[in-house]
Amino acid sequence: MAKPLVATGFFTGCFGCHMSFLDIDERIIDLVELIEFDKSPINDIKEFTRPVDIGIIEGGVSNEENVEFLREFRKHCKILIAIGSCAITGGVPSMRNTVPLKECLEEAYLNGPTIQNDGIIPNDPDIPTMLDKVYPCHEVVKIDYFLPGCPPSADTLWAALVALLQGKEVALPYELVKYD
Amino acid sequence: MSQDTVNIIIDGVEIQATAGQTILEAADAAGMYIPRLCHHPDLPPGGHCRVCTVKVNGRPASSCTFPVSEGLVIENDTDEINAQRRRIIEMLFVEGNHYCPSCEAGGNCELQALGYRLGMLAPTLPYLRVKRELDATHKDVYIDRDRCVLCGRCVRASSVVDKKDAFGFENRGIKKRLSVDAVHGLGETAVSAADKAAQVCPTGCLTVKRVGYATPVGRRKYDKTPIGAEIEKKTAKV
């Protein structure tokens, strides 16, 4: 039987959830026996090549590119898991949500104390257009499981992944579910 | 058995309570935990948050304000009631701006702890994202209204224990907010960091300055032990 395919991706976040995932230490050797990675920053595969069993995503949704990639993940993954505070609540990037986007950009690029001469708000077609707010992933696509934490601990990620690979529901012990 | 003793049933268990107790107090004494948020044992009950709602003879009532009487049949730990409690906690999470990763209260926060205990992995409601004011005008205490759950503990503590009446609520409904009895903020009030009001906030809203993050992750109050475990321990010994 072919190994289950896993894809991972990150949107607006700090990549800390992926670092926590790598914190499974030597269990990573078991992991390569258990699964195969498709699109993921871990192996640098950029595009989905086939349907995937489990998708794991970190980060909130703050621009058009995030929306497009998140929809790609939903389209290709049978099970989609949102991990970490940013994916679930918008997290630290969502602190801008209570300030209008125009004011954010003006403060960063025109009026901030570190601006020298005349600043300019970047408007290159290669830069993804920002959304009005940072959204949690489940406000954009359907998410099947949530693993909160900032980041979720390696034990949390491992326990959830192993349960799913065994075809079980994810039921985490108390100390593995934290919002911070 | 004295005349003051009344018999009530909680989740099928017969317990003896004392006349004058509330359902919540009687349950605590019997080692049965009823989830609660705005209630604090040192303060008069408020009945604000509705997390402690139980069914009394089939009708919903807040257990922190409902007095015991002979023969009450109470439902507490049922799927239906816990789902309603989880929904209240979810609403508080999406109505406030709760950035748990950067909050000093993390790990010691009763709102978080109720989310853990009631099984909330993520809120299922859309976030409201309302801008709320921070008041850092006081030298030792600050108010971060992003984190306020309108429990009224500080209002009651300042009034009943500290005798200062420094806090109150203004506006109604979704616009309700914690206010202070001064024109230019908390710094103009008589509040001090030693006040009861500054010690009872269930979240990180009313916070004493320069003492945050003292306990490492893993050793904070609710890192390994669910909220309510200290009450339930009492029965484990019997």
Side-chain angles (χ1 to χ4, degrees):
Chain A
M1 200 177 83
K3 289 181 193 173
L5 274 176
V6 174
T8 75
F10 75 107
F11 308 118
T12 303
C14 70
F15 210 68
C17 297
H18 273 80
M19 301 309 286
S20 185
F21 190 39
L22 296 177
D23 240 2
I24 59 173
D25 298 330
E26 73 276 8
R27 283 172 288 187
I28 205 161
I29 298 164
D30 300 330
L31 190 68
V32 288
E33 296 295 322
L34 286 170
I35 62 156
E36 187 183 338
F37 277 110
D38 197 71
K39 175 184 164 73
S40 169
I42 292 171
N43 54 16
D44 211 23
I45 295 177
K46 309 269 195 235
E47 303 288 338
F48 280 103
T49 56
R50 54 207 146 151
V52 162
D53 296 293
I54 300 171
I56 301 170
I57 44 173
E58 77 162 273
V61 181
S62 73
N63 62 39
E64 281 184 337
E65 188 190 61
N66 290 164
V67 176
E68 190 189 321
F69 283 174
L70 181 55
R71 285 181 179 153
E72 280 286 295
F73 263 88
R74 182 66 274 180
K75 209 165 87 185
H76 286 88
C77 301
K78 280 184 210 158
I79 297 171
L80 194 55
I81 314 173
I83 65 170
S85 281
C86 299
I88 292 171
T89 73
V92 169
S94 71
M95 283 177 153
R96 80 161 160 93
N97 285 5
T98 55
V99 182
L101 179 59
K102 188 164 178 278
E103 279 178 40
C104 286
L105 290 169
E106 284 171 356
E107 178 65 19
Y109 294 107
L110 300 182
N111 307 326
T114 57
I115 304 297
Q116 293 181 342
N117 307 320
D118 286 339
I120 181 169
I121 294 175
N123 190 24
D124 191 281
D126 285 346
I127 300 173
T129 307
M130 289 174 84
L131 304 181
D132 62 334
K133 286 178 181 163
V134 181
Y135 294 88
C137 291
H138 63 268
E139 289 186 14
V140 181
V141 300
K142 184 184 184 298
I143 301 292
D144 302 305
Y145 288 98
F146 298 93
L147 300 176
C150 187
S153 71
D155 289 338
T156 305
L157 296 167
W158 179 254
L161 194 57
V162 167
L164 286 174
L165 290 171
Q166 291 171 343
K168 294 178 189 166
E169 286 287 313
V170 180
L172 296 170
Y174 177 84
E175 59 274 18
L176 292 188
V177 177
K178 292 287 165 286
Y179 303 150
D180 54 9
Chain B
M1 196 183 286
S2 79
Q3 283 188 325
D4 288 343
T5 306
V6 293
N7 298 292
I8 60 172
I9 297 172
I10 302 180
D11 290 338
V13 181
E14 270 187 53
I15 64 169
Q16 290 180 340
T18 311
Q21 278 183 322
T22 62
I23 292 172
L24 189 131
E25 285 167 342
D28 279 4
M32 299 177 84
Y33 175 67
I34 300 174
R36 80 291 302 264
L37 180 59
C38 74
H39 184 73
H40 190 284
D42 300 341
L43 302 173
H48 301 300
C49 73
R50 317 317 281 185
V51 171
C52 75
T53 296
V54 293
K55 277 194 180 172
V56 183
N57 295 345
R59 296 178 59 144
S62 62
S63 60
C64 72
T65 55
F66 202 105
V68 292
S69 60
E70 182 65 33
L72 291 185
V73 178
I74 294 148
E75 292 169 53
N76 168 42
D77 191 12
T78 68
D79 288 347
E80 181 195 1
I81 296 171
N82 283 330
Q84 288 168 356
R85 289 171 179 153
R86 186 165 60 242
R87 181 49 63 101
I88 293 171
I89 299 301
E90 282 187 20
M91 287 195 278
L92 290 171
F93 266 100
V94 298
E95 285 174 14
N97 296 310
H98 296 279
Y99 305 107
C100 291
S102 57
C103 179
E104 296 97 309
N108 302 314
C109 170
E110 292 177 41
L111 183 67
Q112 275 186 337
L114 283 167
Y116 301 151
R117 170 135 191 161
L118 296 167
M120 187 193 89
L121 289 175
T124 54
L125 303 158
Y127 289 89
L128 210 58
R129 312 288 192 195
V130 176
K131 188 177 175 72
R132 294 194 176 81
E133 285 164 56
L134 186 112
D135 182 345
T137 54
H138 192 287
K139 65 182 172 52
D140 296 321
V141 187
Y142 71 87
I143 301 172
D144 185 342
R145 290 190 178 84
D146 277 348
R147 305 168 182 169
C148 186
V149 291
L150 302 173
C151 68
R153 279 189 192 177
C154 57
V155 180
R156 280 174 278 155
S158 186
S159 171
V160 178
V161 183
D162 305 329
K163 310 285 185 201
K164 292 180 180 175
D165 283 315
F167 299 97
F169 290 123
E170 61 187 21
N171 303 332
R172 292 177 67 82
I174 197 71
K175 290 186 174 158
K176 187 171 172 181
R177 70 194 278 278
L178 181 65
S179 63
V180 295
D181 184 25
V183 179
H184 298 109
L186 191 61
E188 279 184 358
T189 66
V191 167
S192 92
D195 284 358
K196 187 73 177 174
Q199 315 297 326
V200 291
C201 183
T203 70
C205 174
L206 192 62
T207 303
V208 177
K209 292 180 180 179
R210 296 178 294 277
V211 293
Y213 311 111
T215 316
V217 172
R219 284 193 291 187
R220 302 170 304 177
K221 193 169 178 191
Y222 301 118
D223 278 341
K224 296 202 164 63
T225 319
I227 191 168
E230 70 284 359
I231 290 165
E232 290 165 324
K233 252 187 215 159
K234 289 180 197 162
T235 39
K237 283 184 234 154
V238 179

